[in-house]
Amino acid sequence: MLRLNCRNADSAIIGEENGLNLSIEFENYKDRISDIIKNLNQRKDKPGQWLQWMNLGYNEETVWYVKEFASMVKGRFDNILVLGIGGSALGGIAVTEALLKPYWNLLTPEQRNGFPRIFFLDNIDPDSINSLLQILDLKRTLVNVITKSGSTAETMSQYMIIKNILEKELGDDYRKNIVATTDKKMGVLRQLADQEGYKMFFVPDDVGGRFSVFSAVGLVPFALVGLDIDQLMNGIKDMDLALKNTDIHQNIAAQGALIQYLMDTQKGKNISVLMPYSSRLKYVSDWFVQLWAESLGKEYNRNGEKINAGQTPLKAVGATDQHSQIQLYNEGPNNKIITFVRVKNFDTTLEIPKILEYTGIGYLGGKTINALINAEADATRVTLADNSRPTMTITIERIDEYNIAQLLYMLEVQTAIAGELYNIDTFNQPGVEQAKNYTYALMGRAGYEESANTLQEKMATV
Ligand code: PA5
């Protein structure tokens, strides 16, 4: 099981000005937290609550269909190309970067056990798209276009470009190279997929993009590159069970949520950093940044009061960012809480040879890189505590399907509980929708003519 150590957020360690008296706060909030957990679990099956992500670990039917599809297409494609953005891409990137062998796309097919390479196009930079299109043989590429709304301009413009090329290269057969993941009932992609006869998977109702990693949004690409999605499900289920515990002392998501919330609202820590000590977990931070930012960054609370809630999430990776950000964290404004993720057992061990013994680096010889990275994590944590900077540490046993699912699901539940503490709607994103609509207006989408005119005026003054 995942472990959370929050000692270094306690006033006993870092002082009262910056730390929380955790035993008192856990006592003060124990009933509220218990109510929140009960309430989330009671509401999760109700339509319109956007809590269906809490049921994804139990979605055996989808798992079955995804596995069947993956085994049907195995060996037919050299590449998987995922088109998607935001919640339709970040989870996929985080999990594949964590779980596939590092440098996966550079390995030989034998080293990949016959599974394809995987690429995510999650931006609309013309240079990178053109460059990728030169690298990929699209005839040997399975394109998974993922958009819940079915109309996101970034994703659908990529789809149009790629469908056009595929059709030219493959004639009518191009349809076999496209699989769509979208809403069951609505959206342009749903209609197109019907007309074209694409293989389709659905994002379940009441699962928002940033909570969709364990729906078909993530599961399809994961299965296509050979990840063990049964183990992902087991990780979620076990974590879900643990996080149903209404006692804050036994519930790490509740502890994390309460500490972040109180640090923000009482101690001025309005920046939350996620810093795994592992390159493979680097993109978990990107995923978390979206989850925390879009879920908690809200103008109004549920009573309609203007509160402009939300910590600014920052991503960092250890040990690399010790040489970039830690100076600021130790000596700059004391406005951050840092969550480290520490990997207990890496997949491999790397020994530093006992050479150069009589030089200033001789002490490293005979030790392992594994010991070095965790020593650096500990040293940084203690230094930050010396400087009265709050931190928490999540320890993950090893980086595998079971443990990664636990980590991501725990962070999702932590976000949902934090949203309840702020008393906001965690699952909407009015600030994102507004910019999407402006883009439609600028690009001449029918129905947006009026906003296009006002927009042109506003842009002229910027
Ligand atoms: O979390 C969210 O809801 C967003 O980040 C969406 O995932 C993102 O805007 C992409 O939307 P869609 O899946 O509809 O293309």
Side-chain angles (χ1 to χ4, degrees), residues 218-250:
L219 296 184
V220 172
F222 301 159
L224 289 169
V225 290
L227 296 180
D228 185 343
I229 61 177
D230 289 319
Q231 277 300 82
L232 284 172
M233 295 294 120
N234 289 339
I236 307 169
K237 279 187 279 200
D238 287 352
M239 185 48 78
D240 184 52
L241 200 65
L243 299 182
K244 281 196 164 77
N245 196 322
T246 55
D247 177 2
I248 185 164
H249 299 93
Q250 309 296 328

PDB file of all heavy atoms in Angstrom, residues 218-250:
ATOM      1  N   GLY A 218      -7.779   5.983 -21.017  1.00  0.00           N
ATOM      2  CA  GLY A 218      -6.444   5.468 -20.755  1.00  0.00           C
ATOM      3  C   GLY A 218      -6.313   3.996 -21.090  1.00  0.00           C
ATOM      4  O   GLY A 218      -5.304   3.548 -21.632  1.00  0.00           O
ATOM      5  N   LEU A 219      -7.352   3.225 -20.783  1.00  0.00           N
ATOM      6  CA  LEU A 219      -7.212   1.766 -20.886  1.00  0.00           C
ATOM      7  C   LEU A 219      -6.903   1.291 -22.304  1.00  0.00           C
ATOM      8  O   LEU A 219      -6.143   0.334 -22.486  1.00  0.00           O
ATOM      9  CB  LEU A 219      -8.484   1.077 -20.368  1.00  0.00           C
ATOM     10  CG  LEU A 219      -8.813   1.277 -18.882  1.00  0.00           C
ATOM     11  CD1 LEU A 219     -10.036   0.449 -18.490  1.00  0.00           C
ATOM     12  CD2 LEU A 219      -7.631   0.917 -17.980  1.00  0.00           C
ATOM     13  N   VAL A 220      -7.486   1.954 -23.303  1.00  0.00           N
ATOM     14  CA  VAL A 220      -7.244   1.491 -24.684  1.00  0.00           C
ATOM     15  C   VAL A 220      -5.752   1.611 -25.029  1.00  0.00           C
ATOM     16  O   VAL A 220      -5.112   0.592 -25.361  1.00  0.00           O
ATOM     17  CB  VAL A 220      -8.161   2.225 -25.696  1.00  0.00           C
ATOM     18  CG1 VAL A 220      -7.781   1.883 -27.127  1.00  0.00           C
ATOM     19  CG2 VAL A 220      -9.626   1.895 -25.420  1.00  0.00           C
ATOM     20  N   PRO A 221      -5.176   2.813 -24.938  1.00  0.00           N
ATOM     21  CA  PRO A 221      -3.729   2.849 -25.227  1.00  0.00           C
ATOM     22  C   PRO A 221      -2.897   1.959 -24.302  1.00  0.00           C
ATOM     23  O   PRO A 221      -1.928   1.336 -24.758  1.00  0.00           O
ATOM     24  CB  PRO A 221      -3.346   4.325 -25.058  1.00  0.00           C
ATOM     25  CG  PRO A 221      -4.555   5.070 -24.659  1.00  0.00           C
ATOM     26  CD  PRO A 221      -5.740   4.159 -24.732  1.00  0.00           C
ATOM     27  N   PHE A 222      -3.274   1.851 -23.031  1.00  0.00           N
ATOM     28  CA  PHE A 222      -2.464   1.019 -22.113  1.00  0.00           C
ATOM     29  C   PHE A 222      -2.454  -0.438 -22.588  1.00  0.00           C
ATOM     30  O   PHE A 222      -1.413  -1.080 -22.624  1.00  0.00           O
ATOM     31  CB  PHE A 222      -3.005   1.064 -20.673  1.00  0.00           C
ATOM     32  CG  PHE A 222      -3.061   2.447 -20.073  1.00  0.00           C
ATOM     33  CD1 PHE A 222      -3.904   2.724 -19.003  1.00  0.00           C
ATOM     34  CD2 PHE A 222      -2.272   3.474 -20.574  1.00  0.00           C
ATOM     35  CE1 PHE A 222      -3.956   3.997 -18.449  1.00  0.00           C
ATOM     36  CE2 PHE A 222      -2.323   4.757 -20.031  1.00  0.00           C
ATOM     37  CZ  PHE A 222      -3.178   5.011 -18.964  1.00  0.00           C
ATOM     38  N   ALA A 223      -3.638  -0.948 -22.935  1.00  0.00           N
ATOM     39  CA  ALA A 223      -3.700  -2.352 -23.363  1.00  0.00           C
ATOM     40  C   ALA A 223      -2.967  -2.545 -24.684  1.00  0.00           C
ATOM     41  O   ALA A 223      -2.321  -3.575 -24.900  1.00  0.00           O
ATOM     42  CB  ALA A 223      -5.159  -2.786 -23.490  1.00  0.00           C
ATOM     43  N   LEU A 224      -3.044  -1.553 -25.565  1.00  0.00           N
ATOM     44  CA  LEU A 224      -2.400  -1.699 -26.882  1.00  0.00           C
ATOM     45  C   LEU A 224      -0.879  -1.817 -26.771  1.00  0.00           C
ATOM     46  O   LEU A 224      -0.241  -2.437 -27.612  1.00  0.00           O
ATOM     47  CB  LEU A 224      -2.757  -0.507 -27.777  1.00  0.00           C
ATOM     48  CG  LEU A 224      -4.210  -0.475 -28.278  1.00  0.00           C
ATOM     49  CD1 LEU A 224      -4.536   0.868 -28.924  1.00  0.00           C
ATOM     50  CD2 LEU A 224      -4.477  -1.612 -29.274  1.00  0.00           C
ATOM     51  N   VAL A 225      -0.294  -1.220 -25.717  1.00  0.00           N
ATOM     52  CA  VAL A 225       1.162  -1.341 -25.564  1.00  0.00           C
ATOM     53  C   VAL A 225       1.534  -2.397 -24.515  1.00  0.00           C
ATOM     54  O   VAL A 225       2.668  -2.467 -24.063  1.00  0.00           O
ATOM     55  CB  VAL A 225       1.830   0.019 -25.233  1.00  0.00           C
ATOM     56  CG1 VAL A 225       1.778   0.952 -26.432  1.00  0.00           C
ATOM     57  CG2 VAL A 225       1.216   0.672 -24.005  1.00  0.00           C
ATOM     58  N   GLY A 226       0.552  -3.216 -24.137  1.00  0.00           N
ATOM     59  CA  GLY A 226       0.864  -4.392 -23.325  1.00  0.00           C
ATOM     60  C   GLY A 226       0.873  -4.173 -21.822  1.00  0.00           C
ATOM     61  O   GLY A 226       1.366  -5.029 -21.078  1.00  0.00           O
ATOM     62  N   LEU A 227       0.335  -3.056 -21.343  1.00  0.00           N
ATOM     63  CA  LEU A 227       0.273  -2.884 -19.878  1.00  0.00           C
ATOM     64  C   LEU A 227      -0.802  -3.801 -19.302  1.00  0.00           C
ATOM     65  O   LEU A 227      -1.786  -4.121 -19.974  1.00  0.00           O
ATOM     66  CB  LEU A 227      -0.012  -1.419 -19.523  1.00  0.00           C
ATOM     67  CG  LEU A 227       1.076  -0.422 -19.948  1.00  0.00           C
ATOM     68  CD1 LEU A 227       0.700   1.006 -19.546  1.00  0.00           C
ATOM     69  CD2 LEU A 227       2.440  -0.787 -19.349  1.00  0.00           C
ATOM     70  N   ASP A 228      -0.608  -4.173 -18.056  1.00  0.00           N
ATOM     71  CA  ASP A 228      -1.518  -5.119 -17.406  1.00  0.00           C
ATOM     72  C   ASP A 228      -2.685  -4.331 -16.788  1.00  0.00           C
ATOM     73  O   ASP A 228      -2.587  -3.847 -15.661  1.00  0.00           O
ATOM     74  CB  ASP A 228      -0.733  -5.897 -16.341  1.00  0.00           C
ATOM     75  CG  ASP A 228      -1.571  -6.991 -15.698  1.00  0.00           C
ATOM     76  OD1 ASP A 228      -2.814  -6.944 -15.825  1.00  0.00           O
ATOM     77  OD2 ASP A 228      -0.967  -7.881 -15.058  1.00  0.00           O
ATOM     78  N   ILE A 229      -3.772  -4.218 -17.547  1.00  0.00           N
ATOM     79  CA  ILE A 229      -4.847  -3.361 -17.053  1.00  0.00           C
ATOM     80  C   ILE A 229      -5.634  -4.038 -15.920  1.00  0.00           C
ATOM     81  O   ILE A 229      -6.286  -3.355 -15.145  1.00  0.00           O
ATOM     82  CB  ILE A 229      -5.755  -2.814 -18.185  1.00  0.00           C
ATOM     83  CG1 ILE A 229      -6.460  -3.894 -18.961  1.00  0.00           C
ATOM     84  CG2 ILE A 229      -4.969  -1.937 -19.126  1.00  0.00           C
ATOM     85  CD1 ILE A 229      -7.415  -3.315 -20.023  1.00  0.00           C
ATOM     86  N   ASP A 230      -5.546  -5.359 -15.808  1.00  0.00           N
ATOM     87  CA  ASP A 230      -6.180  -6.013 -14.650  1.00  0.00           C
ATOM     88  C   ASP A 230      -5.501  -5.550 -13.353  1.00  0.00           C
ATOM     89  O   ASP A 230      -6.164  -5.307 -12.345  1.00  0.00           O
ATOM     90  CB  ASP A 230      -6.067  -7.534 -14.751  1.00  0.00           C
ATOM     91  CG  ASP A 230      -6.972  -8.072 -15.854  1.00  0.00           C
ATOM     92  OD1 ASP A 230      -8.105  -7.570 -15.976  1.00  0.00           O
ATOM     93  OD2 ASP A 230      -6.534  -8.971 -16.593  1.00  0.00           O
ATOM     94  N   GLN A 231      -4.185  -5.445 -13.410  1.00  0.00           N
ATOM     95  CA  GLN A 231      -3.456  -5.002 -12.213  1.00  0.00           C
ATOM     96  C   GLN A 231      -3.735  -3.538 -11.889  1.00  0.00           C
ATOM     97  O   GLN A 231      -3.760  -3.145 -10.727  1.00  0.00           O
ATOM     98  CB  GLN A 231      -1.946  -5.230 -12.382  1.00  0.00           C
ATOM     99  CG  GLN A 231      -1.517  -6.644 -12.053  1.00  0.00           C
ATOM    100  CD  GLN A 231      -1.846  -7.014 -10.598  1.00  0.00           C
ATOM    101  OE1 GLN A 231      -2.973  -7.397 -10.267  1.00  0.00           O
ATOM    102  NE2 GLN A 231      -0.881  -6.881  -9.709  1.00  0.00           N
ATOM    103  N   LEU A 232      -3.953  -2.742 -12.940  1.00  0.00           N
ATOM    104  CA  LEU A 232      -4.355  -1.345 -12.690  1.00  0.00           C
ATOM    105  C   LEU A 232      -5.667  -1.336 -11.907  1.00  0.00           C
ATOM    106  O   LEU A 232      -5.829  -0.627 -10.919  1.00  0.00           O
ATOM    107  CB  LEU A 232      -4.558  -0.585 -14.003  1.00  0.00           C
ATOM    108  CG  LEU A 232      -3.322  -0.129 -14.791  1.00  0.00           C
ATOM    109  CD1 LEU A 232      -3.737   0.426 -16.153  1.00  0.00           C
ATOM    110  CD2 LEU A 232      -2.538   0.949 -14.042  1.00  0.00           C
ATOM    111  N   MET A 233      -6.606  -2.164 -12.370  1.00  0.00           N
ATOM    112  CA  MET A 233      -7.918  -2.221 -11.719  1.00  0.00           C
ATOM    113  C   MET A 233      -7.786  -2.689 -10.267  1.00  0.00           C
ATOM    114  O   MET A 233      -8.425  -2.166  -9.371  1.00  0.00           O
ATOM    115  CB  MET A 233      -8.857  -3.180 -12.473  1.00  0.00           C
ATOM    116  CG  MET A 233      -9.221  -2.736 -13.872  1.00  0.00           C
ATOM    117  SD  MET A 233     -10.219  -1.235 -13.875  1.00  0.00           S
ATOM    118  CE  MET A 233      -9.181  -0.139 -14.789  1.00  0.00           C
ATOM    119  N   ASN A 234      -6.919  -3.691 -10.053  1.00  0.00           N
ATOM    120  CA  ASN A 234      -6.731  -4.180  -8.677  1.00  0.00           C
ATOM    121  C   ASN A 234      -6.195  -3.084  -7.767  1.00  0.00           C
ATOM    122  O   ASN A 234      -6.614  -2.953  -6.615  1.00  0.00           O
ATOM    123  CB  ASN A 234      -5.759  -5.373  -8.653  1.00  0.00           C
ATOM    124  CG  ASN A 234      -6.399  -6.600  -9.267  1.00  0.00           C
ATOM    125  OD1 ASN A 234      -7.628  -6.684  -9.349  1.00  0.00           O
ATOM    126  ND2 ASN A 234      -5.579  -7.536  -9.729  1.00  0.00           N
ATOM    127  N   GLY A 235      -5.272  -2.304  -8.307  1.00  0.00           N
ATOM    128  CA  GLY A 235      -4.702  -1.193  -7.521  1.00  0.00           C
ATOM    129  C   GLY A 235      -5.780  -0.191  -7.139  1.00  0.00           C
ATOM    130  O   GLY A 235      -5.851   0.263  -5.991  1.00  0.00           O
ATOM    131  N   ILE A 236      -6.641   0.154  -8.099  1.00  0.00           N
ATOM    132  CA  ILE A 236      -7.701   1.133  -7.799  1.00  0.00           C
ATOM    133  C   ILE A 236      -8.655   0.552  -6.762  1.00  0.00           C
ATOM    134  O   ILE A 236      -9.035   1.232  -5.803  1.00  0.00           O
ATOM    135  CB  ILE A 236      -8.537   1.488  -9.052  1.00  0.00           C
ATOM    136  CG1 ILE A 236      -7.654   1.936 -10.208  1.00  0.00           C
ATOM    137  CG2 ILE A 236      -9.554   2.586  -8.738  1.00  0.00           C
ATOM    138  CD1 ILE A 236      -8.402   2.046 -11.518  1.00  0.00           C
ATOM    139  N   LYS A 237      -9.058  -0.695  -6.977  1.00  0.00           N
ATOM    140  CA  LYS A 237     -10.066  -1.286  -6.081  1.00  0.00           C
ATOM    141  C   LYS A 237      -9.558  -1.316  -4.642  1.00  0.00           C
ATOM    142  O   LYS A 237     -10.273  -0.955  -3.708  1.00  0.00           O
ATOM    143  CB  LYS A 237     -10.433  -2.704  -6.544  1.00  0.00           C
ATOM    144  CG  LYS A 237     -11.448  -2.681  -7.686  1.00  0.00           C
ATOM    145  CD  LYS A 237     -11.941  -4.066  -8.030  1.00  0.00           C
ATOM    146  CE  LYS A 237     -10.961  -4.761  -8.915  1.00  0.00           C
ATOM    147  NZ  LYS A 237     -11.455  -5.889  -9.681  1.00  0.00           N
ATOM    148  N   ASP A 238      -8.305  -1.747  -4.467  1.00  0.00           N
ATOM    149  CA  ASP A 238      -7.766  -1.823  -3.105  1.00  0.00           C
ATOM    150  C   ASP A 238      -7.653  -0.429  -2.489  1.00  0.00           C
ATOM    151  O   ASP A 238      -7.932  -0.237  -1.301  1.00  0.00           O
ATOM    152  CB  ASP A 238      -6.397  -2.524  -3.095  1.00  0.00           C
ATOM    153  CG  ASP A 238      -6.565  -4.030  -3.330  1.00  0.00           C
ATOM    154  OD1 ASP A 238      -7.724  -4.500  -3.348  1.00  0.00           O
ATOM    155  OD2 ASP A 238      -5.539  -4.714  -3.498  1.00  0.00           O
ATOM    156  N   MET A 239      -7.231   0.528  -3.311  1.00  0.00           N
ATOM    157  CA  MET A 239      -7.113   1.888  -2.782  1.00  0.00           C
ATOM    158  C   MET A 239      -8.497   2.453  -2.481  1.00  0.00           C
ATOM    159  O   MET A 239      -8.707   3.115  -1.460  1.00  0.00           O
ATOM    160  CB  MET A 239      -6.359   2.758  -3.794  1.00  0.00           C
ATOM    161  CG  MET A 239      -6.050   4.163  -3.348  1.00  0.00           C
ATOM    162  SD  MET A 239      -5.321   4.340  -1.698  1.00  0.00           S
ATOM    163  CE  MET A 239      -3.631   3.895  -1.946  1.00  0.00           C
ATOM    164  N   ASP A 240      -9.451   2.166  -3.347  1.00  0.00           N
ATOM    165  CA  ASP A 240     -10.820   2.665  -3.136  1.00  0.00           C
ATOM    166  C   ASP A 240     -11.360   2.156  -1.797  1.00  0.00           C
ATOM    167  O   ASP A 240     -11.968   2.903  -1.027  1.00  0.00           O
ATOM    168  CB  ASP A 240     -11.711   2.219  -4.297  1.00  0.00           C
ATOM    169  CG  ASP A 240     -13.117   2.782  -4.184  1.00  0.00           C
ATOM    170  OD1 ASP A 240     -13.232   4.013  -4.012  1.00  0.00           O
ATOM    171  OD2 ASP A 240     -14.083   2.008  -4.248  1.00  0.00           O
ATOM    172  N   LEU A 241     -11.103   0.884  -1.541  1.00  0.00           N
ATOM    173  CA  LEU A 241     -11.551   0.291  -0.283  1.00  0.00           C
ATOM    174  C   LEU A 241     -10.899   1.009   0.907  1.00  0.00           C
ATOM    175  O   LEU A 241     -11.578   1.393   1.873  1.00  0.00           O
ATOM    176  CB  LEU A 241     -11.168  -1.197  -0.280  1.00  0.00           C
ATOM    177  CG  LEU A 241     -11.927  -2.083   0.676  1.00  0.00           C
ATOM    178  CD1 LEU A 241     -13.397  -2.136   0.279  1.00  0.00           C
ATOM    179  CD2 LEU A 241     -11.330  -3.510   0.639  1.00  0.00           C
ATOM    180  N   ALA A 242      -9.600   1.219   0.800  1.00  0.00           N
ATOM    181  CA  ALA A 242      -8.875   1.885   1.900  1.00  0.00           C
ATOM    182  C   ALA A 242      -9.390   3.308   2.106  1.00  0.00           C
ATOM    183  O   ALA A 242      -9.493   3.776   3.238  1.00  0.00           O
ATOM    184  CB  ALA A 242      -7.377   1.904   1.604  1.00  0.00           C
ATOM    185  N   LEU A 243      -9.734   3.976   1.003  1.00  0.00           N
ATOM    186  CA  LEU A 243     -10.129   5.387   1.109  1.00  0.00           C
ATOM    187  C   LEU A 243     -11.610   5.555   1.446  1.00  0.00           C
ATOM    188  O   LEU A 243     -12.092   6.672   1.603  1.00  0.00           O
ATOM    189  CB  LEU A 243      -9.792   6.141  -0.188  1.00  0.00           C
ATOM    190  CG  LEU A 243      -8.298   6.154  -0.544  1.00  0.00           C
ATOM    191  CD1 LEU A 243      -8.068   6.972  -1.808  1.00  0.00           C
ATOM    192  CD2 LEU A 243      -7.439   6.697   0.593  1.00  0.00           C
ATOM    193  N   LYS A 244     -12.311   4.440   1.583  1.00  0.00           N
ATOM    194  CA  LYS A 244     -13.694   4.520   2.075  1.00  0.00           C
ATOM    195  C   LYS A 244     -13.695   4.679   3.594  1.00  0.00           C
ATOM    196  O   LYS A 244     -14.727   4.981   4.189  1.00  0.00           O
ATOM    197  CB  LYS A 244     -14.469   3.251   1.689  1.00  0.00           C
ATOM    198  CG  LYS A 244     -14.927   3.256   0.245  1.00  0.00           C
ATOM    199  CD  LYS A 244     -16.001   2.189   0.027  1.00  0.00           C
ATOM    200  CE  LYS A 244     -16.747   2.414  -1.267  1.00  0.00           C
ATOM    201  NZ  LYS A 244     -16.025   2.014  -2.452  1.00  0.00           N
ATOM    202  N   ASN A 245     -12.537   4.441   4.192  1.00  0.00           N
ATOM    203  CA  ASN A 245     -12.425   4.572   5.644  1.00  0.00           C
ATOM    204  C   ASN A 245     -12.695   6.031   6.046  1.00  0.00           C
ATOM    205  O   ASN A 245     -12.023   6.948   5.563  1.00  0.00           O
ATOM    206  CB  ASN A 245     -11.012   4.157   6.074  1.00  0.00           C
ATOM    207  CG  ASN A 245     -10.941   3.907   7.561  1.00  0.00           C
ATOM    208  OD1 ASN A 245     -11.568   4.613   8.341  1.00  0.00           O
ATOM    209  ND2 ASN A 245     -10.177   2.900   7.942  1.00  0.00           N
ATOM    210  N   THR A 246     -13.677   6.232   6.896  1.00  0.00           N
ATOM    211  CA  THR A 246     -14.082   7.603   7.235  1.00  0.00           C
ATOM    212  C   THR A 246     -13.242   8.202   8.367  1.00  0.00           C
ATOM    213  O   THR A 246     -13.432   9.354   8.729  1.00  0.00           O
ATOM    214  CB  THR A 246     -15.579   7.631   7.645  1.00  0.00           C
ATOM    215  OG1 THR A 246     -15.772   6.691   8.699  1.00  0.00           O
ATOM    216  CG2 THR A 246     -16.482   7.289   6.477  1.00  0.00           C
ATOM    217  N   ASP A 247     -12.315   7.426   8.899  1.00  0.00           N
ATOM    218  CA  ASP A 247     -11.451   7.928   9.978  1.00  0.00           C
ATOM    219  C   ASP A 247     -10.224   8.596   9.352  1.00  0.00           C
ATOM    220  O   ASP A 247      -9.402   7.927   8.716  1.00  0.00           O
ATOM    221  CB  ASP A 247     -11.034   6.732  10.858  1.00  0.00           C
ATOM    222  CG  ASP A 247     -10.073   7.157  11.953  1.00  0.00           C
ATOM    223  OD1 ASP A 247      -9.763   8.370  12.051  1.00  0.00           O
ATOM    224  OD2 ASP A 247      -9.638   6.269  12.713  1.00  0.00           O
ATOM    225  N   ILE A 248     -10.102   9.872   9.559  1.00  0.00           N
ATOM    226  CA  ILE A 248      -8.986  10.610   8.936  1.00  0.00           C
ATOM    227  C   ILE A 248      -7.631  10.019   9.298  1.00  0.00           C
ATOM    228  O   ILE A 248      -6.689  10.046   8.503  1.00  0.00           O
ATOM    229  CB  ILE A 248      -9.047  12.126   9.260  1.00  0.00           C
ATOM    230  CG1 ILE A 248      -7.942  12.854   8.497  1.00  0.00           C
ATOM    231  CG2 ILE A 248      -8.992  12.415  10.743  1.00  0.00           C
ATOM    232  CD1 ILE A 248      -8.069  14.335   8.401  1.00  0.00           C
ATOM    233  N   HIS A 249      -7.524   9.429  10.478  1.00  0.00           N
ATOM    234  CA  HIS A 249      -6.229   8.856  10.870  1.00  0.00           C
ATOM    235  C   HIS A 249      -5.838   7.667  10.001  1.00  0.00           C
ATOM    236  O   HIS A 249      -4.678   7.293   9.932  1.00  0.00           O
ATOM    237  CB  HIS A 249      -6.271   8.423  12.350  1.00  0.00           C
ATOM    238  CG  HIS A 249      -6.535   9.570  13.256  1.00  0.00           C
ATOM    239  ND1 HIS A 249      -7.795   9.908  13.672  1.00  0.00           N
ATOM    240  CD2 HIS A 249      -5.697  10.484  13.799  1.00  0.00           C
ATOM    241  CE1 HIS A 249      -7.729  10.983  14.443  1.00  0.00           C
ATOM    242  NE2 HIS A 249      -6.471  11.352  14.532  1.00  0.00           N
ATOM    243  N   GLN A 250      -6.830   7.072   9.339  1.00  0.00           N
ATOM    244  CA  GLN A 250      -6.579   5.868   8.531  1.00  0.00           C
ATOM    245  C   GLN A 250      -6.691   6.152   7.033  1.00  0.00           C
ATOM    246  O   GLN A 250      -6.611   5.231   6.229  1.00  0.00           O
ATOM    247  CB  GLN A 250      -7.625   4.780   8.856  1.00  0.00           C
ATOM    248  CG  GLN A 250      -7.806   4.451  10.315  1.00  0.00           C
ATOM    249  CD  GLN A 250      -6.547   3.853  10.898  1.00  0.00           C
ATOM    250  OE1 GLN A 250      -5.802   3.154  10.203  1.00  0.00           O
ATOM    251  NE2 GLN A 250      -6.278   4.138  12.161  1.00  0.00           N
TER     252      GLN A 250
END
